[in-house]
Amino acid sequence: MKKLLVLLVVAFTVNATIAQTQVGAVTLPNSVNFGGEDLALNGAGIRKKAFVLKLYSGGLYLQKKSSDAKNIVNADETMAIKLHITSGFVSSEAMSDAVSEGFDASMNGNTSSLSSEIEKFISFFSAEIVEGNIFDITYQKGTGVVAYKNGKELGTITGMAFKKALFGIWLGDNPADTKLKKEMLGK
């Protein structure tokens, strides 16, 4: 009986460890479910500023693993990016500014066609942001972009053009962080 108990504890511990990935000081789940779709962690890394300041750990979740950024950005498939805030320097204002700059880079400076959608998305970051907050930025096929903060839905924005511009912030030709892009792509 004692051996069985030890075996069960070891098996349970191994399964719990396998179901998560350590990314810096943060543990990200290896799988998530959004819009009724199971998604697997494709890759993850740390968003740094000035090479030393770690802002958040981020993970890309897909239905099938892929290292093709262009196909991921253009795909009409459920997917998600999880951002786990790891720095007190990430405030509501800083996040809003970074997202605005990210859209500008993703869309080569021509954001006018999505200005109202971008404004709505940036409003999702208006409440206080503190270390430990978790944002899930999802694209749910048939619904659109659905954003969550700490598991609470913030809102939905429809349209593939917006989805492409949004995921382009991390996976586009001019990403927010080149190293993070490679890590999210599993490279």
Side-chain angles (χ1 to χ4, degrees), residues 147-169:
Y148 303 85
K149 179 181 179 184
N150 300 326
K152 181 182 177 214
E153 187 175 320
L154 300 171
T156 302
I157 301 172
T158 59
M160 274 299 290
F162 180 76
K163 180 265 183 182
K164 290 176 183 181
L166 177 62
F167 278 75
I169 291 173

Side-chain angles (χ1 to χ4, degrees), residues 51-129:
F51 300 106
V52 292
L53 184 60
K54 297 175 182 176
L55 302 176
Y56 58 79
S57 292
L60 172 65
Y61 293 83
L62 303 173
Q63 292 174 334
K64 293 179 226 154
K65 290 211 177 234
S66 174
S67 60
D68 188 330
K70 191 167 279 197
N71 279 348
I72 295 167
V73 168
N74 290 318
D76 184 14
E77 297 176 4
T78 299
M79 61 185 66
I81 292 178
K82 183 178 287 288
L83 306 177
H84 190 126
I85 307 301
T86 58
S87 171
F89 288 106
V90 181
S91 65
S92 173
E93 183 179 342
M95 183 65 107
S96 297
D97 290 346
V99 169
S100 181
E101 290 171 12
F103 276 113
D104 195 50
S106 176
M107 298 178 71
N108 298 315
N110 187 13
T111 59
S112 61
S113 64
L114 294 173
S115 60
S116 62
E117 291 91 339
I118 292 170
E119 189 176 314
K120 180 178 179 180
F121 186 77
I122 289 172
S123 76
F124 297 161
F125 303 102
S126 62
E128 181 184 20
I129 297 174

